[in-house]
Amino acid sequence: MELQNSTVLVTGATGNMGPYVTDSLVDSGATVIGTYVTETARDDVENRVENADAVSYYQVDLTDQAAVEDFTETIVDDHGSIDHIVGLAGGFSMGSVNDTDAEAFQAALNRHATTAFLTVKAFVDHLDDRSSVVLFSSDRAINPVGGTLAYDVGKGAVRTLTESLDAELDARVNAVAPFLIDVPGNREAMPDADFSEWTAPEAIVDEVLHLLSNEGVTGQIVPMTGGQSEVAE
């Protein structure tokens, strides 16, 4: 399936992976809609996105069901409908079980799973058997390492959400599950890490485009480590 002339909603479009995904989608000929939370993030993305002028950005709190429903109405008014969803909304967090309180735990679930759930729920009537949903889980949801408990559980919920949505929807639903992504923000946060083990953002984008356009792939969680991908068993 060609992405040209399709409309793709990218949540969390101003985050670390957002510019890579939106630029590639624009280059593929898609109409791209991006969401953001803060004006600071929106202003900053102008300096990081080559095709920023071609992306329609909207500010919305994707953890708030009423806000997401209002956003959906706006998108219908402005664009008519959407064809595909890429769920990037989220955010990394540290903390072991001893360091994580109920508020931090719930916040992680909201950032990762609730945002994805409410987005798909709001646009479910737009999605048919030609549509694709690509969500972002994590290698830590498959192989937890400790010290990032709330993040791991939040991304694990995305993995289960992906599989559950695939069982319910006519649309194809998949997720990528990268290891640490080699983007400037992560290098700044972990300057002493071994970057050679991290996942290249370009490799992730290639996989996202593959999952969006390949009509034969659905219900898959695709681990990505060191720029290589393999389907999880």
Side-chain angles (χ1 to χ4, degrees):
M1 178 184 296
E2 294 293 332
L3 294 175
Q4 187 171 7
N5 300 322
S6 65
T7 301
V8 184
L9 170 62
V10 180
T11 68
T14 58
N16 283 331
M17 276 299 302
Y20 297 95
V21 173
T22 57
D23 274 342
S24 293
L25 287 170
V26 171
D27 288 340
S28 298
T31 296
V32 182
I33 300 166
T35 73
Y36 67 97
V37 177
T38 69
E39 290 294 345
T40 299
R42 172 68 181 88
D43 293 340
D44 175 66
V45 82
E46 291 285 354
N47 300 319
R48 299 188 292 126
V49 181
E50 181 179 346
N51 297 317
D53 291 343
V55 180
S56 298
Y57 289 101
Y58 294 82
Q59 185 176 29
V60 57
D61 179 0
L62 295 175
T63 67
D64 182 329
Q65 183 167 349
V68 176
E69 291 171 351
D70 289 343
F71 166 65
T72 307
E73 293 182 3
T74 300
I75 295 305
V76 170
D77 290 341
D78 292 352
H79 300 276
S81 65
I82 65 167
D83 300 298
H84 309 291
I85 296 172
V86 178
L88 294 177
F92 186 69
S93 58
M94 297 290 294
S96 66
V97 63
N98 289 329
D99 302 322
T100 304
D101 60 18
E103 182 178 359
F105 187 81
Q106 187 61 57
L109 286 174
N110 286 342
R111 279 195 302 271
H112 302 292
T114 302
T115 56
F117 164 70
L118 289 179
T119 300
V120 175
K121 178 178 176 63
F123 286 97
V124 71
D125 291 339
H126 295 235
L127 305 174
D128 57 27
D129 58 3
R130 296 167 296 178
S131 301
S132 177
V133 177
V134 179
L135 302 180
F136 267 62
S137 183
S138 170
D139 178 71
R140 290 172 185 253
I142 301 168
N143 300 298
V145 297
T148 54
L149 184 141
Y151 175 83
D152 296 357
V153 173
K155 288 299 192 182
V158 173
R159 177 182 183 179
T160 302
L161 177 65
T162 299
E163 295 167 340
S164 297
L165 289 173
D166 180 66
E168 291 193 7
L169 303 186
D170 290 332
R172 292 171 291 107
V173 187
N174 297 283
V176 293
F179 186 57
L180 284 166
I181 304 174
D182 192 5
V183 292
N186 285 343
R187 286 199 175 210
E188 292 172 8
M190 293 169 275
D192 297 326
D194 181 359
F195 304 140
S196 67
E197 296 183 355
W198 291 13
T199 309
E202 295 82 5
I204 296 172
V205 170
D206 287 346
E207 186 63 30
V208 169
L209 295 184
H210 169 72
L211 294 174
L212 286 175
S213 59
N214 190 326
E215 296 181 359
V217 181
T218 189
Q220 300 301 311
I221 311 298
V222 184
M224 303 196 69
T225 57
Q228 302 299 315
S229 64
E230 54 183 297
V231 177
E233 296 181 358

